[in-house]
Amino acid sequence: MFAKTARGDWLLFAIFTAVVLAAPILFAPIGAGYPDLLQKFAIYGLFAIGFNILFGLTGYLSFGHAAFLGVGSYATVWMFKLLSMNVLPAVVVSVVLAGLFALLIGYVSLRRSGIYFSILTLAFAEMSYKLAYSVLTPITNGETGLQVRNLAKAGVVNFQHGDLRILDRAFGVVEHGVPMSNLFGIKMSGWPGFYFCAAALIIGFFIAMRISRSSFGMMLRAIKSNQNRLNYTGVNTRPYLLAAFVISGMYAGMAGALLAVTDPLAGAERMQWTASGEVVLMTIMGGAGTLLGPVLGASVIKYFENIFSAINENVLHQVFSWLPQGVQDVVVSILSLFVGEGWHLTLGLLFMLIVIFLPGGLMEGLGRIVSLFKRGKAASDAAQNGQEA
Amino acid sequence: MAILEIDNVNKTFGGLRALWEVNLKVEEGAVHAIIGPNGAGKSTLLNCLVGRLAPDTGRVIFAGREVLGHKPHEINQMGIARVFQTPEIFEDLTLLDNVMIPAMAKRDGSFRLNAWRRVAARAELREEAEQILEDVGLAEQRHVVCSALSRGDKRRLEMAMCLIQHPRLLLLDEPTAGMSRADTNATIDLLKKIGERGITKIIIEHDMHVVFSLASRISVLARGTFIAEGKPDEIKGNPKVQEAYLGGAQA
């Protein structure tokens, strides 16, 4: 859609930024203009953008990225407990920790490719998930999940009773009730929370764009296209893959941190394989290897999860109240299979349709629509100006 | 001076002796053809040279350095490039990208984390890439995705990908296999043109027309070992060679 020139990229970035910042207004008509949902668009969009750097560019399908999401969340809550409710140190530490964790898992998993790589990453993530429930309970607080508590009385170091928050204590921050994460005093709930996530998404998008257009990005694409040739071209593919793996792990860590920033709580289920699978769906649905696709896919899935699941039979009866009673009952009973609890069915069907008819995801669909318009325009232009380049 | 010395290389697959006491010296600047009947071990030998296979015993010295035991990318960085029997290119990328990648590998080494600067901003790389595409006659199609190319064009592209690295030794595995007569002749012309750059070449080939048009020296491999070596004229009249080919055909 956009030419691969520096100008085209800046245009793309400007439009992306504008859409993200104006999201509260733009998404209001489809019922998504509230911060809790838009936050999820941004957070999972970031997760998917990072995942796409590995899967979209190199073709290596990781089934264990939820592990990094979980590490990010746990690290953030721990920073809240130990240092400060300010989100900046928490986010930085989370990203670094997730990166280190990705370095370890990536180093081992990347010894294999294809399905074996996927299985290795899955095994590591499931291992982390089970460990978080069992052996690591002192760190993860097991099934209850890790949460922020009130400040402990001076000298008490028992996290069951209260948190330390060394920095907040040192600066004499006064807490009333359950503490909320903040950015130098701005509470990270509601719209400020969304805009913090939006800023992270915009920065993440910009970095991904630069990576995609860089020499490094081109090498990653070459790995996907023909790794064998690349080896005989004098390129050591392993460190390129490891770098991509670590970067995407850091994105996941950032997304995990943001989940904990907007809701200071971390549970092991965030590491479960379903979460790893979800980001794969998001990326493929939106368009693997494209810049916008992952964000689009993440938003669509989160939209379905939150909006479609909220529709029930009563709502449907209202919508179809103009139909005669008998017909209305039939229509509602059929449609109700696809909404409410049945939103997974709709999502599954949509996913199947996309994979079958648009292997390039929603971005391919958009590209086709754009080229249709262009062709229509080009035909009329060509009549006047001759051939178009 | 010999740029490549293969010293007593042996390779067995299970009970099969694929290479047996193979010795070869390739002079710098030579076009050295390796011919022989099917199953003689020609491709096995080439695979040993680029690190795809590890011989059981023996040494391979390239420009004074041991090649064996090194990974394919390390061997390429030493200055050995290879053209495969079926063209190995980056099918999903454009021709320009296809030649820029080896150019980058030559400049940046086997790994460099250059994740911020736009590739498009590396003008020197792009100029070099466009020049090489011009040289092989593919400049017009530089923005085309490679999967759309004909087999002959893919082969020419693969050669461009090797040439842009200025290798000291170029290995060609049946460069005209499956090509039409016209494409074959175009490839011969291209290889002659490359010859002017002074790159040493080892060519594996079945097509005697190609071999005698290009080779300055010919070695004959049969049943895993060299049975003859010499100038093209000497090889033509060698009875052992004729027997090997006829015997190979009857077996």
Side-chain angles (χ1 to χ4, degrees):
Chain A
M1 255 199 307
F2 294 90
K4 281 185 187 172
T5 58
R7 255 184 65 202
D9 279 355
W10 281 112
L11 184 66
L12 175 67
F13 180 64
I15 294 173
F16 181 80
T17 306
V19 169
V20 172
L21 293 180
I25 303 163
L26 292 177
F27 288 100
I30 55 165
Y34 60 97
D36 283 8
L37 182 55
L38 288 178
Q39 259 165 25
K40 285 202 174 112
F41 285 9
I43 294 171
Y44 284 93
L46 193 65
F47 188 20
I49 286 179
F51 184 76
N52 184 54
I53 291 175
L54 181 72
F55 174 58
L57 296 186
T58 71
Y60 274 64
L61 176 59
S62 161
F63 255 112
H65 260 51
F68 310 126
L69 196 74
V71 167
S73 286
Y74 280 123
T76 293
V77 178
W78 268 113
M79 284 302 111
F80 286 161
K81 290 168 88 66
L82 292 174
L83 270 185
S84 163
M85 287 307 291
N86 191 318
V87 295
L88 282 188
V91 163
V92 171
V93 169
S94 300
V95 171
V96 171
L97 267 183
L100 288 175
F101 195 50
L103 186 67
L104 186 79
I105 292 183
Y107 183 79
V108 179
S109 305
L110 286 168
R111 311 206 142 252
R112 290 285 169 269
S113 60
I115 187 76
Y116 301 101
F117 167 79
S118 305
I119 295 294
L120 278 172
T121 52
L122 177 64
F124 271 114
E126 279 297 281
M127 215 157 68
S128 313
Y129 167 62
K130 296 287 182 205
L131 283 178
Y133 263 138
S134 53
V135 189
L136 295 177
T137 303
I139 300 174
T140 60
N141 204 17
E143 284 182 43
T144 325
L146 195 63
Q147 7 184 318
V148 175
R149 293 175 185 279
N150 291 323
L151 277 178
K153 292 193 182 70
V156 180
V157 191
N158 184 339
F159 297 107
Q160 294 305 314
H161 299 294
D163 294 346
L164 274 179
R165 277 195 280 289
I166 301 166
L167 284 180
D168 282 5
R169 250 180 235 261
F171 287 104
V173 176
V174 186
E175 289 178 4
H176 308 284
V178 180
M180 189 61 214
S181 58
N182 64 73
L183 180 69
F184 303 112
I186 308 167
K187 283 200 166 44
M188 287 293 116
S189 56
W191 288 116
F194 162 70
Y195 276 105
F196 184 69
C197 298
L201 176 67
I202 290 167
I203 295 169
F205 180 80
F206 186 70
I207 294 173
M209 193 171 82
R210 292 305 297 236
I211 288 176
S212 171
R213 307 289 193 239
S214 69
S215 309
F216 174 67
M218 196 190 258
M219 286 300 183
L220 298 184
R221 285 202 179 81
I223 289 174
K224 183 181 188 176
S225 186
N226 191 343
Q227 190 170 356
N228 196 30
R229 170 36 95 188
L230 201 55
N231 280 322
Y232 291 102
T233 303
V235 175
N236 191 3
T237 50
R238 188 80 61 76
Y240 280 103
L241 283 165
L242 190 56
F245 193 88
V246 170
I247 291 170
S248 73
M250 289 166 87
Y251 269 84
M254 181 77 194
L258 291 176
L259 284 174
V261 161
T262 51
D263 182 13
L265 174 103
E269 74 287 342
R270 213 158 265 176
M271 293 186 159
Q272 216 178 347
W273 67 270
T274 46
S276 298
E278 197 180 23
V279 75
V280 179
L281 292 192
M282 288 170 176
T283 310
I284 293 177
M285 189 173 225
T290 64
L291 282 168
L292 289 172
V295 188
L296 204 61
S299 303
V300 168
I301 288 183
K302 285 295 152 190
Y303 181 77
F304 270 84
E305 187 183 299
N306 286 276
I307 302 296
F308 263 65
S309 65
I311 301 174
N312 55 30
E313 287 200 16
N314 288 334
V315 178
L316 285 176
H317 274 294
Q318 273 173 22
V319 171
F320 293 104
S321 54
W322 49 275
L323 287 172
Q325 190 62 42
V327 183
Q328 188 186 333
D329 286 348
V330 174
V331 169
V332 167
S333 62
I334 292 172
L335 285 180
S336 64
L337 288 173
F338 295 91
V339 296
E341 299 263 295
W343 72 272
H344 281 113
L345 187 59
T346 317
L347 187 65
L349 285 173
L350 186 65
F351 188 74
M352 275 164 53
L353 287 175
I354 286 176
V355 169
I356 293 169
F357 295 107
L358 295 171
L362 291 170
M363 286 306 286
E364 188 185 330
L366 284 181
R368 282 194 196 172
I369 292 169
V370 168
S371 68
L372 259 178
F373 276 106
K374 268 192 182 158
R375 208 177 304 151
K377 193 170 160 280
S380 59
D381 284 358
Q384 299 165 357
N385 311 331
Q387 262 194 326
E388 198 183 39
Chain B
M1 203 198 90
I3 192 169
L4 183 78
E5 267 182 70
I6 301 172
D7 184 16
N8 203 15
V9 164
N10 289 277
K11 175 75 190 172
T12 55
F13 294 111
L16 180 78
R17 270 197 315 212
L19 293 175
W20 179 48
E21 292 177 3
V22 167
N23 291 286
L24 184 72
K25 278 187 184 175
V26 177
E27 297 297 317
E28 181 140 30
V31 180
H32 202 124
I34 296 176
I35 61 170
N38 282 326
K42 302 185 296 292
S43 290
T44 307
L45 180 60
L46 223 52
N47 285 337
C48 290
L49 296 185
V50 293
R52 182 179 257 188
L53 287 176
D56 305 331
T57 58
R59 276 151 55 90
V60 176
I61 308 292
F62 171 71
R65 292 176 68 189
E66 175 64 74
V67 165
L68 297 184
H70 285 282
K71 298 214 173 80
H73 71 264
E74 293 167 333
I75 293 173
N76 174 280
Q77 292 285 349
M78 288 179 194
I80 300 180
R82 174 174 181 179
V83 171
F84 287 80
Q85 198 170 340
T86 41
E88 291 268 354
I89 56 173
F90 305 111
E91 299 264 349
D92 324 312
L93 306 181
T94 64
L95 274 77
L96 197 60
D97 287 350
N98 263 269
V99 284
M100 277 180 84
I101 287 162
M104 274 192 282
K106 178 76 178 173
R107 278 162 191 266
D108 298 350
S110 60
F111 174 70
R112 188 164 154 219
L113 191 59
N114 197 343
W116 198 251
R117 199 172 162 211
R118 296 172 57 85
V119 187
R122 300 179 73 175
E124 79 292 348
L125 267 180
R126 202 192 153 101
E127 276 165 28
E128 206 181 338
E130 286 184 341
Q131 182 58 48
I132 205 87
L133 286 177
E134 186 89 49
D135 291 351
V136 297
L138 292 169
E140 298 268 295
Q141 292 150 285
R142 63 185 179 277
H143 295 302
V144 172
V145 174
C146 293
S147 47
L149 291 183
S150 73
R151 194 184 163 106
D153 283 349
K154 283 183 183 173
R155 170 79 63 202
R156 280 197 287 173
L157 176 65
E158 199 185 16
M159 281 185 196
M161 290 163 73
C162 290
L163 289 178
I164 201 169
Q165 297 197 308
H166 304 289
R168 294 186 65 188
L169 176 64
L170 181 60
L171 308 175
L172 299 137
D173 193 351
E174 299 196 24
T176 63
M179 273 190 190
S180 66
R181 191 37 65 185
D183 270 344
T184 301
N185 286 332
T187 308
I188 292 173
D189 290 343
L190 180 63
L191 284 169
K192 278 184 177 160
K193 216 164 104 185
I194 299 168
E196 292 156 17
R197 294 171 196 234
I199 301 168
T200 313
K201 287 184 278 294
I202 295 180
I203 299 183
I204 287 181
E205 188 56 78
H206 276 299
D207 189 334
M208 288 305 135
H209 169 62
V210 178
V211 171
F212 288 109
S213 322
L214 290 168
S216 61
R217 205 155 179 88
I218 298 176
S219 291
V220 186
L221 197 64
R223 298 190 183 177
T225 197
F226 282 116
I227 55 166
E229 193 194 321
K231 293 199 175 102
D233 297 340
E234 297 164 15
I235 295 298
K236 251 182 202 165
N238 190 323
K240 262 162 92 183
V241 176
Q242 286 166 358
E243 187 205 2
Y245 263 89
L246 291 174
Q250 282 163 356

